[in-house]
């Protein structure tokens, strides 16, 4: 009776089996890599805006405090976007003719709101409250990154659930003196030994219990 | 466009009559035809479809509500309003108007959108409570079915055209001092309207104003006139009455009075609970009412027996009046009542329902006077409501004049007589005789269909006006939001029909009060706006002399009698387009989206031979040569010879939400006997109607879900710390740290009024699912009020039991969920994480209380923009396939917690009020920290009356109940 | 029935040589082509129904079913339990009897295992279909998600998920390992190159070398050893799905054994039916002998009686506890709206099997088939009864409500029969449905034993 398979058939069979297993594993890893990638989470991506607003210039160079424009940040859930009026308090004097600012002037003239595209968008089903975070001394930079170094604003961290929970599990190291929340550069902070204790002290002082922070209802209702 | 009057009268007018006559007087057909144009291609009247269509036509409000999609766009103000901080809600004191009466509220708005109405705690009448109608008024504001712009002959027109037409018309009338001009309004208490009417009468002395309200206090005023010689408003001080004998007077039932009476009654009742005096309630009534349900001693007596009982009570209390013959039962009840009254003398109150003959009511007034109750539990004051020239005959007069052709221009303001007017008057046909007919109302309703001009008016939450609350206090009504639609305030329309244009509602109202206050205006105006009412603006209580006893009267024995009652959810039908009210289970039969004909079990049983009557069977009710057909509901506690027809359904609103639900009972109602008619016949006709009922079984069947205790047992303090069962459990206890939230529901004061349920709908974005789904057992209310009866079906005890989530400490649902979507919070809440839920429904299967609700379909996705705008942005809108349930209003807890943390203080007791607690007029619901022994809720849970629902399941609920106190027969000692 | 009276029916044919041909000829030149195509066509139609029903379900939502509050679970879950139950006999017969060295199993194990596989597939899909948001079913699996959350391990459903998945995998392995040598012999007898290559591939180059046989023995028995405890664990898990809840009628310690035995019971019933049909259709009387039917009958009787014990315990527990709610559930089972399902189960599961006390009915294919059918239906009724009667009248009177399965629920169920029969028909068409080599092995062994 004629041979159906060549002697190598067995080897091939084993090889293909192994290859399949390998490819599947690889695929899994690739997928995992993707969902965590900046590409998927939108980190570092610049969203185009009606006006090419530069935080670098306003915050970094001019040193304007965040709360100048984002007025709600200490008192309510949303930091809030500045009304056109706020922009014009300065820009009625400065760069009055600048083409880039045309939309702002139009907005005021026609009483039409500027339509910004959110950069740091709170994910669905999440109820985030700025005021309490600011009050406890979570610095802006913790979530929004070095905004003072961004000519065009971009998302600094992946707003995945994990990003929030990592901090809620152990807020200590992220905490800073509440009177300095808007400070951007904290590179020197950890080098000072007694600062290491600050987090623990702050947690005690505010009575922050991670065991409570980590519960679903903290963010989801 | 400019139309001169001749064209108006000839072309439009006549052709329109022909249109109606062409339909051979078939009104429905006429209306169908009328609306056909307006609602072309709207065959499917399914709620969802309908709302979609209506919503599609609107691009109002750039707000998407809190949709599933995170909003990727941000649109800041151009110039931020003063004090505006991002998204913090703002509160405005105002009022909504119910049948002419102000219901004071605090309107909560988020970024300019009203999202919730809360009671006004400062207000003397409501004290911060609301009723179901008031809560639902919010949805009325956003109702996509509202008339959205002026119409001429059913086709959209411009206000300019309306103004022109009115100016022309007014010019004509001016010449004749307004002869032939008639204004028909619903009940009103608005001082501004009163002022406008005065002006009108001065300008046009020959004009006439008429008023019609299907359910008003007309007979009460008449009774007062009999007693004191002049019509006076009755002012009850229920909180002063230790013994109340109510002869078919539904004090605590739905209506403008409910909040005030319920609040005062519960005040007295709570005093009694702590041993201060009594709070006994004797009720004799033909059909079960909320008052009867909570009465300690209830007698089932036909409508026709009430006069006899009144007389008997009067003679039992020493009046010479002849003692009528009573049945044994009646006799015993009467003796108990009389004895109780004698015991407390002046601290008693006798009251007779407003639907009874003035003589009977007057007798009760006299009785109160005799026992010295006058001025203590009952007082009288100048009428708060505007009374029309012809008094009770107002509508009849109008119809007569119409038929006589004396009416040239008929303006109907915020009333729907074509649907609600007594059948014998034939109003609809009569009004066709008026040459110019103008309708000003919220909806394109039955009356609008027969008018040339439709001038849609503003909802009270978007316009300036004023009105009196039931205690007479004036509320200034300020708008919470700019009108969405092309509508005008009723005041402005009233000016316009007189040819006076350009008056804004704000001006008209301020004008009124400038006149009243003169120099002090600015100050008073500001404070009144902030308070939501004008301090001490209620008419003082008149010092009335002891009333003279009304003449004795014969009580007729009518055989089978038909009673007419407003529907507990739709009132006279005005709320037909309000989904929250349509889907609100009626307190005593839990039916939604339908009205019924109530008959007693005995009656149904007796008619079982041959016909056989079960709930849902269609029957024909004939009385006075008229008849209606509707589904029957076998009602425990109904009088054997009384059948109750609930009015307000059977609306003819083609293409609108409220169209075609239930049956129209008005055809049976005549001006002669508007509340009850005798000598009726009930016959079964073929067919059965599927009634969407949220509770199939109401017999308690010996279970102890609701409990009763004796008065003295109630006063003992319990020994143990809490009622929560402490049987061993396999699961470790939660760390009990303050705050740990819990709730206590006092079934002794719960009157089942549904205010809490509606408040919950509004607060938590509860989706309405429509009749079919409710019938399938898929209603979504997070809070339901279970209704039980105990004992013989013909004389049962009636109970209410609000059932929210129990927030068990040993919650089976938490153990069952495979993905951890239902979790326990450190402050003791049992919570549902919607975005984690995959819908295995294990939690609901394991829940012994079945308080969880499931999104069987996508109930929210297709809501039109208006309804999305009405949503509470602090509560997730649930999508298809997820479980949901009561959260103890966690959004309120979170807000309070954050506020407290920002201020570095603990959360104060009573700082957090759940929506249901806030709305409850009897303070039956208390929420708070169960760890703090000083908190109100802890104090309640220490009471001996505190018990746990289904204690044997050992779920250790945080929601517990206070047993009802039975102060019936053996209550004397208390 | 002449042969029925022979005192000792043979378990196995005398000669072992023809056995392989007899079995392997079926895949190669199918004897029943026409009838097979008819059955297959019907099965595919049913499968189509299944797909449509599932499609509608996904498109519209679970609302298309008749469920409500309180009856959250309807025939979807009872079918799940039922199908999974059928899937027990296979492993029980092959694995357990293998380890116990019961030679007679060899004529039954192959198609019993196949039946198991397909039944478990039918079962396994139900829990996914019944979800509110089926597209998230994988959240039940533990994996490192970006949310950093895991399944809730106290939940019986989580363990269900693991149990069923494990059971499926192990069953597949066991079945495949078992069939390899026969695939080889089919390959060797195949004429067309296509068939040769196909069977050849799946035979994994089996040459029947003694080394192969040695390893095969190890692998096969090892898998069997793994499979046996699963039989118990799977349906115990399923029972906890109900028993873990606080509802009266569910919350009972008898549930795990009650469910496992019920499962085996229904499984044997179905195996018996299939055995009868196959031996008739393919004239395998000398492989699947009356002795086999006899033994199957005995098994059905035994497991059936144990299941009936469960019924007794349930009633007893309710009465003994005296709890008003337990009594209430009991009465609604015996007399309530769905009493038909209870009494149906009692009659079909208890009364019917009493016939099996008599050998006459055990070895008669027709009566055995009829009883098997009765039991299959009876067990379906029982599962339905357990689900519905507890939910539709649970604690609070106010939430009592009836449940009627909707059209789409029924169509999905009918369709799931197609999901079962389509692959099963393919199996009997293209694979050796009886383990020829194991039969031969045991023939030889017995003969050697006889020669001593």
């Amino acid at each position: 009776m004629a041979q159906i398979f060549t002697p190598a058939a067995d080897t091939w069979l084993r090889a293909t089996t192994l290859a399949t297993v390998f490819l599947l594993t690889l695929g899994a890893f690739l997928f995992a890599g993707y969902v965590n990638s900046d590409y998927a989470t939108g980190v570092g991506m610049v969203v185009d805006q009606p006006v090419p607003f530069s935080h670098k210039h306003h915050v970094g160079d001019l040193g304007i405090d965040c709360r100048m424009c984002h007025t709600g940040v200490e008192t309510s859930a949303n930091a809030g976007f500045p009304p056109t009026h706020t922009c014009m308090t300065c820009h009625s004097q400065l760069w009055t003719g600048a083409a880039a600012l045309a939309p702002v002037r139009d907005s005021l003239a026609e009483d039409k709101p500027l339509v910004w595209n959110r950069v740091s968008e709170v994910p669905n089903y999440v109820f985030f409250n700025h005021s309490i975070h600011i009050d406890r001394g979570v610095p802006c930079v913790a979530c929004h990154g070095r905004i003072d170094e961004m000519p065009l604003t971009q998302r600094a961290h992946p707003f995945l659930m994990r990003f929030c929970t990592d901090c809620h599990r152990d807020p200590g190291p992220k905490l800073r003196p509440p009177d300095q929340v808007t400070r951007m550069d904290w590179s020197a902070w950890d080098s000072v030994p007694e600062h290491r204790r600050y987090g623990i002290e702050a947690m005690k002082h505010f009575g922050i219990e991670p065991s409570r922070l980590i519960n679903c209802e903290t963010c989801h209702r | 466009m400019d139309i001169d009057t001749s064209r108006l009268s000839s072309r439009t007018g006549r052709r329109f009559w022909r249109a109606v006559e062409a339909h051979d007087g078939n009104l429905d057909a006429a209306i169908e035809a009328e609306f056909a144009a307006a609602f072309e291609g709207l065959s499917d009247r399914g709620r969802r479809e309908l709302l979609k269509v209506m919503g599609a036509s609107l691009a109002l409000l750039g707000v998407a509500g809190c949709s599933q999609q995170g909003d990727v766009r941000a649109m800041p103000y151009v110039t931020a309003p003063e004090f505006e901080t991002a998204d913090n809600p703002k509160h405005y004191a105002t009022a909504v108007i119910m049948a002419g009466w102000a219901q004071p509220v605090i309107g909560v708005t988020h970024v300019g959108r009203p999202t919730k109405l809360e009671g006004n705690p400062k207000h003397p009448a409501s004290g911060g409570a609301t009723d179901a109608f008031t809560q639902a008024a919010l949805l009325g504001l956003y109702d996509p079915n509202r008339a959205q712009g002026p119409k001429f002959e059913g086709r959209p027109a411009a206000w300019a055209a309306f103004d022109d037409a009115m100016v022309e018309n007014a010019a004509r009338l001016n010449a004749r001092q307004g002869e032939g001009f008639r204004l028909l309004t619903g009940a009103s208490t608005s001082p501004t309207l009163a002022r406008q009417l005065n002006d009108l009468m001065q300008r046009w002395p020959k004009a006439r104003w008429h008023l019609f309200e299907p359910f008003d206090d007309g007979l009460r005023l008449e009774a007062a006139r009999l007693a004191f010689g002049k019509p006076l408003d009755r002012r009850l001080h229920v909180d002063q009455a230790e013994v109340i004998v109510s002869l078919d007077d539904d004090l605590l039932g739905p209506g403008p009075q409910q909040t005030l009476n319920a609040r005062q009654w519960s005040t007295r009742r709570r005093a009694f609970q702590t041993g201060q005096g009594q709070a006994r309630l004797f009720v004799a009534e033909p059909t079960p009412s909320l008052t009867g349900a909570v009465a300690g001693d209830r007698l089932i007596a036909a409508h026709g027996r009430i006069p006899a009982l009144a007389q008997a009570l009067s003679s039992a209390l020493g009046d010479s009046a002849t003692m009528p013959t009573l049945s044994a039962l009646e006799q015993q009840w009467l003796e108990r009542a009389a004895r109780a009254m004698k015991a407390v003398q002046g601290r008693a109150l006798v009251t007779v329902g407003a639907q009874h003959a003035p003589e009977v009511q007057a007798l009760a007034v006299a009785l109160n006077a005799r026992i010295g109750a006058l001025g203590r539990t009952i007082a009288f004051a100048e009428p708060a409501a505007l009374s029309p020239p012809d008094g009770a005959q107002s509508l009849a007069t109008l119809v007569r004049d119409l038929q006589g052709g004396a009416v040239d221009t008929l303006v109907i303001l915020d009333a729907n007589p074509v649907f609600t007017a007594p059948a014998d008057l034939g109003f609809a046909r009569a009004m066709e005789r008026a040459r110019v007919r103008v309708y000003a109302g919220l909806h394109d309703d039955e009356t609008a269909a027969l008018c040339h001009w439709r001038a849609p008016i503003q909802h009270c939450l978007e316009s300036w006006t004023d009105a009196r609350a039931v205690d007479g206090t004036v509320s200034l009504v300020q708008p919470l939001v700019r009108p969405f639609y092309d509508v005008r305030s009723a005041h402005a329309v009233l000016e316009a029909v007189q040819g006076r244009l350009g008056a804004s509602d704000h001006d008209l109202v301020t004008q009124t009060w400038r006149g009243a206050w003169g120099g002090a205006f600015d100050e008073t105006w500001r404070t009144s706006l902030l308070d939501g009412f004008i301090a001490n603006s209620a008419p003082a209580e008149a010092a009335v002399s002891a009333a003279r006893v009304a003449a004795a009267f014969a009580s007729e024995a009518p055989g089978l009698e038909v009673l007419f009652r407003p529907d507990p959810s739709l009132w006279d039908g005005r709320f037909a387009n309000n989904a929250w009210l349509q889907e609100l289970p009626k307190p005593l039969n839990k039916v939604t989206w339908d009205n019924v004909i109530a008959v007693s079990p005995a009656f149904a049983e007796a008619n079982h031979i041959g016909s056989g009557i079960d709930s849902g069977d269609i029957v024909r009710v004939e009385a006075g040569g008229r008849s209606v057909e509707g589904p029957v509901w076998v009602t425990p506690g109904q009088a054997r010879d009384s059948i109750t027809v609930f009015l307000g359904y059977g609306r003819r609103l083609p293409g609108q939400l409220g169209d075609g639900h239930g049956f129209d009972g008005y055809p049976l109602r005549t001006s002669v006997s508007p509340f009850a008619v005798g000598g009726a016949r009930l016959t079964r006709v073929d067919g059965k109607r599927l009634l969407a009922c949220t509770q199939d079984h109401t017999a308690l069947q010996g279970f102890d879900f609701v409990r009763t205790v004796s008065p003295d047992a109630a006063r003992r303090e319990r020994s143990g710390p809490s009622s929560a069962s402490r049987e061993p459990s396999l699961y470790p206890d939660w760390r009990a740290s303050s705050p740990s939230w819990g709730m206590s529901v006092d079934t002794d004061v719960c009157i089942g009024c549904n205010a809490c349920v509606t408040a919950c709908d509004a607060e938590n974005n509860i989706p309405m699912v429509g009749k079919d789904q409710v019938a399938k057992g898929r209603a979504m209310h997070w809070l339901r009020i279970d209704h039980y009866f105990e004992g013989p079906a013909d004389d049962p005890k009636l109970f209410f039991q609000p059932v929210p989530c129990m927030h068990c400490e040993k919650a089976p649902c938490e153990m069952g969920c495979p993905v951890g979507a239902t979790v326990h919070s450190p402050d003791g809440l049992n919570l549902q994480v919607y975005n984690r839920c995959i819908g295995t429904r294990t939690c609901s299967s394991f829940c012994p209380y079945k308080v969880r609700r499931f999104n069987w379909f996508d109930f929210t996705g297709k809501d039109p923009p208006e309804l999305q705008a009405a949503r509470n942005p602090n509560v997730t809108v649930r999508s298809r396939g997820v479980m949901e349930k009561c959260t103890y209003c966690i959004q309120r807890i979170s807000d309070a917690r954050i506020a407290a943390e920002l201020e570095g203080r603990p959360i104060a007791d009573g700082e957090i009020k759940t929506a249901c607690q806030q709305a409850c007029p009897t303070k039956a619901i208390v929420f708070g920290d169960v760890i703090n022994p000083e908190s109100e809720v802890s104090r309640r849970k220490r009471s001996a009356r505190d018990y746990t629902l289904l204690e044997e399941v050992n779920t250790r609920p945080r929601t517990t109940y206070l047993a009802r106190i039975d102060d019936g027969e053996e209550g004397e000692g208390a | 029935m002449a042969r029925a009276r022979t005192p000792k029916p043979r378990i196995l044919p005398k000669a072992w040589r023809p056995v392989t041909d007899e079995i392997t000829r079926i895949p190669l030149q199918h004897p029943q082509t026409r009838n097979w195509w008819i059955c297959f066509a019907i099965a595919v139609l049913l499968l189509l129904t299944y797909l449509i029903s599932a499609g509608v379900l996904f498109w519209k939502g679970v609302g298309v079913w008749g469920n409500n509050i309180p009856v959250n679970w309807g025939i979807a879950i009872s079918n799940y339990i039922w199908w999974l139950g059928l899937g027990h006999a296979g492993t029980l017969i092959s694995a357990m009897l293998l380890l116990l060295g019961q030679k007679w199993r060899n004529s039954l194990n192959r198609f019993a295992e196949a039946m198991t596989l397909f039944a478990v597939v039918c079962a396994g899909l139900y829990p996914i279909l019944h979800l509110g948001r089926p597209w998230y079913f994988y959240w039940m699996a533990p994996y490192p998600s970006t949310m950093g959350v895991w399944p809730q391990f106290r939940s019986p459903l989580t363990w269900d998920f693991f149990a069923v998945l494990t059971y499926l995998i192990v069953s597949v392995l066991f079945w495949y390992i078992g069939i390899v040598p026969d695939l080889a012999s089919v390959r060797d007898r195949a004429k067309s190159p296509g068939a040769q290559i196909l069977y050849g591939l799946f035979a994994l180059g089996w040459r029947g070398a003694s080394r192969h046989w040695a390893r095969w023995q190890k692998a096969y028995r090892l898998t069997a050893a793994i499979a046996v405890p699963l039989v118990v664990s799977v349906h115990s898990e399923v029972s906890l799905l109900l028993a873990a809840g606080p509802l009266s009628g569910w919350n009972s310690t008898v549930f795990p054994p009650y469910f496992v035995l019920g499962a085996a019971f229904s499984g044997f019933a179905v195996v018996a039916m299939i055995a009868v049909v196959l031996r008739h259709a393919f004239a395998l009387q000398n492989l699947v002998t009356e002795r086999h039917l006899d033994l199957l009958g005995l098994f059905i009787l035994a497991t059936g009686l144990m299941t009936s014990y469960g019924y007794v315990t349930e009633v007893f527990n309710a009465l003994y506890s005296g709890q008003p709610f337990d009594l209430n559930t009991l009465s609604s089972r015996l007399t309530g709206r769905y009493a038909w399902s209870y009494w149906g189960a009692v009659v079909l599961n208890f009364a019917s099997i009493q016939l099996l006390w008599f050998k006459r009915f055990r070895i008669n294919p027709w009566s055995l088939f009829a009883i098997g059918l009765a039991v299959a239906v009876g067990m379906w009724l029982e599962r339905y009864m357990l689900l519905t009667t507890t939910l539709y009248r649970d604690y609070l009177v106010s939430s009592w409500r009836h449940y009627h399965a909707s059209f789409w629920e029924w169509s999905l169920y009918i369709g799931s029969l197609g999901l079962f029969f389509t692959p099963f028909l393919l199996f009997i068409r293209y694979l050796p449905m009886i383990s020829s080599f194991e039969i031969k092995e045991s023939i030889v062994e017995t003969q050697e034993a006889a020669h001593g």
Side-chain angles (χ1 to χ4, degrees), chain B residues 68-99:
Chain B
Q68 306 293 313
Q69 315 305 327
D71 46 354
V72 290
R73 302 218 174 295
M75 281 184 279
Y77 289 100
V78 173
T79 311
E82 242 180 320
F83 316 124
E84 175 79 50
T85 45
D87 59 349
N88 292 355
K90 268 174 290 312
H91 299 67
Y92 300 96
T94 178
V96 296
I97 293 168
M98 159 72 181

Side-chain angles (χ1 to χ4, degrees), chain B residues 663-732:
Chain B
F663 71 95
D664 181 2
Y666 280 107
L668 213 54
R669 195 186 191 208
T670 62
S671 51
V672 192
S673 51
F675 296 106
V677 51
R681 271 185 64 244
L682 183 144
T683 50
R684 171 136 191 244
V685 298
D686 290 347
K688 196 172 177 71
R689 185 165 172 82
L690 170 76
L691 295 170
C693 176
T694 58
Q695 186 179 344
D696 288 352
H697 302 76
T698 45
L700 202 43
Q701 321 203 355
F703 290 112
D704 64 348
F705 307 144
V706 287
R707 302 184 188 174
T708 48
V709 297
S710 74
D712 13 332
R715 306 230 169 78
R716 275 185 241 106
E717 270 235 342
R718 69 162 50 253
S719 44
S722 148
S723 78
S725 128
R726 281 291 170 259
E727 282 166 30
S729 165
L730 287 175
Y731 294 108

Side-chain angles (χ1 to χ4, degrees), chain B residues 260-280:
Chain B
L260 176 59
N261 289 345
R263 192 172 130 257
Q264 292 192 341
W265 171 76
S266 66
T267 314
R268 177 91 282 275
R269 187 74 184 177
R270 251 189 306 281
F272 153 72
Q273 289 174 359
T274 58
Q276 303 158 21
Q278 312 179 31
R280 306 195 58 191

Side-chain angles (χ1 to χ4, degrees), chain C residues 39 45 60 62 66 117 166 203 220 296 324 329 402 409 411 426:
Chain C
C39 301
L45 275 180
K60 292 217 175 119
V62 208
L117 280 187
T166 325
Y220 197 46
L296 279 173
T329 309
H402 295 305
E409 274 167 294
S411 64
L426 287 170

Side-chain angles (χ1 to χ4, degrees), chain A residues 71-72 74-86 107-119 121-127 129 131-133 135-136 161 209 211-212 215-218 220-221, chain B residues 67-80 84-88 735 737-739 820 823-827 829 831-835 873-877 879 887 890-891 894-895 897-898 901-902 904:
Chain A
T71 49
E74 287 175 308
T75 55
S76 77
N78 287 4
F81 284 69
T84 314
H85 195 270
T86 311
S107 158
L108 193 69
E110 300 159 19
D111 192 27
K112 284 220 190 69
L114 284 161
V115 181
W116 299 96
N117 296 310
R118 291 186 185 276
V119 174
E121 182 197 341
V122 179
N124 299 334
Y125 305 107
V126 177
F127 292 85
N129 186 306
S131 61
I132 190 67
H133 288 84
D135 182 76
R136 295 307 195 233
M161 181 164 157
E209 302 172 41
S211 66
R212 282 170 173 268
N215 283 286
C216 306
E217 84 281 358
T218 312
H220 303 297
R221 301 170 187 165
Chain B
S67 68
Q68 306 293 313
Q69 315 305 327
D71 46 354
V72 290
R73 302 218 174 295
M75 281 184 279
Y77 289 100
V78 173
T79 311
E84 175 79 50
T85 45
D87 59 349
N88 292 355
R735 184 183 51 147
S737 63
S738 180
V823 294
H824 208 82
S825 83
D827 47 6
L829 305 184
L831 295 166
Q832 185 69 15
V833 188
Y834 310 120
N835 45 326
N874 292 329
V875 175
T876 306
V877 174
S879 61
T887 64
I890 183 170
Q891 64 279 7
S894 301
D895 291 351
R897 190 186 62 236
I898 290 173
E901 283 174 355
L902 286 175

